[in-house]
Amino acid sequence: MNLSFRTNVNTDSVRATSLIGLRNGQLSDLLFTAAVWGAFLTVTVVFLWLVGDVLIRGVGALSWDFVVSPVIDSGRSGGIAPVLVSTACIVAVALAVAFPLALASAILISEFLPRTGTVSRLVIVSFDVLAGMPSIVFGLFGNALFNQLLGFGYSLLSGGLTLACMVLPFMIKANIDGLRAVPRSYREAGDALAMSRASILWHVLLPAAIPGIIAGVLLGMGRALAETAALLFTSGYVTRMPESLMDSGRTISIHVYDLAMNVAGGDQMAYASALILVVLLIIINFTVVRLGDWIQRCSLRA
Amino acid sequence: MTDRLLTWTLGAATLVVVSLIAVIAVFLLNESLDTLNRVGLGRFFSDSGWSPTMGRFNILPMIVASVLLMAGAVIVAAPLAVLTAVFLRFYAPSPVVDTGRRIIEVLAAMPSVVYGLWGLVVLVPVIAAWQQPGASLMAGILVLSLMIFPTITIVVHSGLTAMPQRYIEASLALALNRAYMVRRVVLPAIRASIAAGVTLGAARAIGETMAVMMVTGNIVAVPGDLFDPVRALTSNIALEMAYALGDHRGALYISSLLLLAVVILLVLINEFIVSNKCEY
Amino acid sequence: MDRITEAVTCTQKQENTSGNICLCTESLCLSYGTRAALENVSIRIPSRSVTAIIGPSGSGKSSFLCCLNRMTDLSGSTTVGGSVHLGEHDIHRDLGKNPIALRRRVGMVFQLPNPFPFSIWKNLALPLTHHGVANKRELSGIIEQVLRRVGLWEEVGGRLRDSALTLSGGQQQRLCIARALVLEPEVLLMDEPCSSLDPLSTKRIETLIGQLKDRYTIVVVTHDLAQARRVADHVALFWNVDGVGRLIEQGSAARIFQHPQHELTTTYLEGQL
Ligand SMILES: Nc1ncnc2c1ncn2[C@@H]1O[C@H](COP(=O)(O)OP(=O)(O)OP(=O)(O)O)[C@@H](O)[C@H]1O
Ligand SMILES: [Mg+2]
């Protein structure tokens, strides 16, 4: 072993250059600190600009009347009552269809399939593709399948079914997270009591996974509320109060889009509707995030 | 007995979900096939322009626009997102961390129409005051980058939180300053998360319809510069689907297949990155 | 309680102060948030020798090491009282706001090997380039020498571009020691450097410590009393008194092992022999 440590290197060179190095280092440290603060401040300013804009322009036209009146003059006056009803119907259809499918798939994946097996990886990849698919593509698919092939036409039903396909991967993922957060010991305790898989699931796992399941439903609701492009050619544009699921109707997102793009002088009302939409989404999203944090803390404790 | 039934039910439900992607692909393909046979794939790239009612099907300008929008959005959003995530993890005083998290959450929750509305009413006039006409590639890139920013930030930030504390301790013990530590140790160590965030953001950008349609002016042409109006592939579908018939409709379905292919590619890349991520 | 304080002052008076004192602390206190972890630690660490810190788990040994290179700054809620002198400088007052300059002089090796997830080369080059060595030839020279010094050159010299995570635990730990050495610190702090290693790797590192002590001041925390006997010139015993870490006794290794003065020292040494 070479015991003459660093004989042919000028030892002092490290220390000497390091003095310069340190000064350089401090300068670049300063620049980098400025950069990260700059990035954050930029984001904050744009955020305030965006949110402030929606808030300030939206609040002016907002009133109880606005919520309960019919749409008049393409939305330039009146309110958004039928739009809210259509939105509720579409979201309800989407969730009613997606929820059981999502929960069942989540249970199969988290409880019955090996976690790292090829099958579950393939399944997960297919969900990722589904989650990343552009919403307009869902719209075309929904139009071809529900509107035309199944003959539902432009209707709340077609829109809701299309959205169900769209929100599925997000709901499944939230449900899987919820189920996986349930401590392993619960399952083992159930097995030790010689309970069947079905009754362990029903009496032990599902109750314990309720936060994750709620998070999944809320997430799906948020996605559905925010969606526009997938509905343009499935649920349609109609502003009348829907009488059945087979009627066409527009969601609040489409209403915002239509007022902004196609109705001259509709900006004010677009902002008012956007404000309602944004407030709903922020509430939903915050609940989901808090539930997620909570689930994670529970699973860490377990 | 009940267990068998249960497994079958669950299996059936999962099969429905998993086959959905195939069903979607089949439907899109089915709607495109006639047109593909009649018109041929080549003409979608070589025709003299896009006027499908008169039998001209060149979608190249829109592909170019979509790619430019995606690339521009990623170029603007990715550095901003990485810096913001680093800020929240290493630089922000603790009350600011919470505020920062809320801001990212709210931005992530905003629906695309609201971004579009803001872009149309606020941003486009600002750009127009600087360079006519305002509704342009530039406006699209800015709005899109704002939309994918929270996506990338969240992925990168979770990569930062998952990175073991011992790398930070080691850096400090080696007398590295904070900037050097972040640039040379932390960011290289989480490069997989950054790549994953960027592919996710890119997928979102290329698939975005509403916000892009509302701010880019929607003129079918290859843009000469950043301030020219463009029409993205997605906007084209949304704008023309309502009245499209025959080969026109088929052409729109073909462009949707193209979008689907790009997204599948991005998701697979993302999957590859994530599954090859070193487990520290 | 009083008895202990008495004993501490008593051992301090008796401490022979031959040789240069490299590091010394005066009534050092440390608390994590509101919980005190160290109280009234006054220690003298002679230069160019090995000082072993021994004591039961939770007695504040690691916390003490972290005070010496201000790793305690890492978390915002820790507060440090008293003073730490490195040579003439008070590391809080004189080295002021810049712990970087301090850590440049006081290197640290951790209990678990913590190489960066990069190549072996990059692990060693990173601190050097940061501190201003840009010349590739010079880098290679230094890297080869530190690797020879820790006995890794023969083992990994041919695959410097491989990820450091592909090394075995013992190799990783020696790489971490090499990484701490490239900056030529004056003091090397080692927190249980062998606790995750096999006997052979442990032996290598002990030999290495023996070789390093004529250039560096080494402070090593260890649970292994036999190891302390083998490598240490000086020994300090920490003890957890009412939930707070205290320095019970310090002195030359020979004296502590042969004539421990404090009954806790006797108990601890006997308990483990
Ligand atoms: N980061 C921290 N935050 C809060 N308390 C801490 C922290 N680090 C250590 N402590 C507490 O300080 C006390 C001393 O811990 P320390 O790690 O210094 O002990 P130690 O002597 O090194 O023990 P061991 O031999 O097990 O490594 C312990 O009670 C521990 O719980
Ligand atoms: Mg310790």
Side-chain angles (χ1 to χ4, degrees), chain A residues 1-9 11 13-15 17-18 22 26, chain C residues 98 100 104 131-132 138 142 145-146 148-149 181-182 184 211 215-216:
Chain A
M1 192 184 289
N2 181 359
L3 293 182
S4 61
F5 185 51
R6 206 178 281 172
T7 41
N8 55 359
V9 176
T11 316
S13 77
V14 178
R15 283 194 183 139
T17 45
S18 81
L22 267 182
Q26 271 163 3
Chain C
N98 189 5
I100 307 261
R104 179 81 176 61
H131 294 291
E138 200 176 347
I142 298 176
Q145 282 199 324
V146 287
R148 282 192 192 285
R149 189 69 169 153
L181 293 181
V182 290
E184 289 251 298
Q211 289 161 0
R215 289 185 66 105
Y216 304 93

Side-chain angles (χ1 to χ4, degrees), chain A residues 41-294:
Chain A
L41 290 180
T42 311
V43 170
T44 312
V45 167
V46 175
F47 167 81
L48 290 177
W49 192 7
L50 176 70
V51 171
D53 181 60
V54 173
L55 200 66
I56 291 167
R57 297 199 208 205
V59 154
L62 211 55
S63 65
W64 182 244
D65 261 3
F66 180 72
V67 176
V68 297
S69 313
V71 181
I72 300 169
D73 190 16
S74 312
R76 288 189 194 85
S77 55
I80 55 167
V83 174
L84 289 176
V85 173
S86 302
T87 308
C89 292
I90 289 179
V91 172
V93 170
L95 290 182
V97 174
F99 176 72
L101 282 174
L103 189 59
S105 320
I107 292 172
L108 188 84
I109 291 164
S110 75
E111 303 299 316
F112 292 84
L113 291 184
R115 194 165 178 163
T116 48
T118 324
V119 179
S120 52
R121 265 196 66 194
L122 271 180
V123 171
I124 299 282
V125 171
S126 84
F127 291 167
D128 284 348
V129 171
L130 216 51
M133 199 147 90
S135 44
I136 189 81
V137 177
F138 276 103
L140 291 191
F141 163 70
N143 182 278
L145 175 61
F146 304 120
N147 294 35
Q148 307 215 323
L149 190 72
L150 298 180
F152 298 155
Y154 282 90
S155 64
L156 300 181
L157 187 62
S158 299
L161 290 174
T162 307
L163 285 193
C165 302
M166 230 187 105
V167 301
L168 261 174
F170 301 98
M171 293 180 74
I172 292 175
K173 189 170 176 313
N175 287 341
I176 291 180
D177 288 349
L179 282 165
R180 287 202 172 143
V182 178
R184 155 157 286 189
S185 59
Y186 285 27
R187 298 177 179 86
E188 284 159 3
D191 282 336
L193 293 171
M195 291 163 76
S196 69
R197 289 299 268 287
S199 63
I200 294 178
L201 195 62
W202 186 252
H203 294 289
V204 182
L205 290 183
L206 287 183
I210 277 182
I213 294 170
I214 297 177
V217 171
L218 287 175
L219 206 66
M221 194 189 277
R223 285 270 152 184
L225 273 176
E227 190 43 49
T228 316
L231 293 172
L232 285 173
F233 312 113
T234 52
S235 75
Y237 269 70
V238 170
T239 54
R240 244 180 302 109
M241 182 63 86
E243 273 153 23
S244 79
L245 286 183
M246 300 311 282
D247 278 358
S248 168
R250 60 164 65 170
T251 64
I252 190 161
S253 306
I254 296 194
H255 193 55
V256 173
Y257 159 71
D258 194 47
L259 284 176
M261 280 292 274
N262 304 333
V263 179
D267 281 2
Q268 171 89 60
M269 291 308 199
Y271 269 105
S273 316
L275 181 58
I276 294 181
L277 181 62
V278 166
V279 168
L280 279 176
L281 284 172
I282 288 177
I283 293 172
I284 290 174
N285 210 55
F286 267 38
T287 320
V288 171
V289 172
R290 294 295 99 83
L291 272 174
D293 285 356
W294 192 62

Side-chain angles (χ1 to χ4, degrees), chain C residues 30-33 35-38 53-66 75 77-78 111 191-192 221-223 238 240 243-245:
Chain C
L30 171 76
S31 44
Y32 293 107
R35 257 193 73 239
L38 279 179
I53 311 272
I54 59 174
S57 187
S59 55
K61 305 181 296 295
S62 303
S63 307
F64 171 71
L65 278 200
C66 288
S75 106
S77 60
T78 52
Q111 176 169 1
D191 192 352
E192 302 179 41
V221 171
T222 178
H223 282 291
F238 280 64
N240 188 329
V244 185

Side-chain angles (χ1 to χ4, degrees), chain B residues 17 22 42 80 87 94 115 121 128 137 139 147-148 181 241:
Chain B
V17 180
L80 207 61
F87 173 80
S94 52
Y115 282 108
V121 178
L137 181 60
M147 292 181 70
I148 66 172
M181 172 182 89
M241 181 64 191

Side-chain angles (χ1 to χ4, degrees), chain C residues 39-59:
Chain C
E39 211 168 81
N40 210 17
V41 175
S42 302
I43 200 172
R44 304 158 83 73
I45 294 168
S47 62
R48 293 177 191 241
S49 62
V50 179
T51 303
I53 311 272
I54 59 174
S57 187
S59 55

Side-chain angles (χ1 to χ4, degrees), chain B residues 176 180 184, chain C residues 119-133 139-140 143 161 179 182-183:
Chain B
L176 307 185
Y180 197 83
R184 301 296 297 275
Chain C
S119 68
I120 298 167
W121 165 275
K122 197 170 169 204
N123 263 281
L124 297 169
L126 207 62
L128 285 171
T129 39
H130 179 236
H131 294 291
V133 182
L139 276 178
S140 310
I143 286 175
R161 297 290 164 182
R179 194 175 60 182
V182 290
L183 292 178

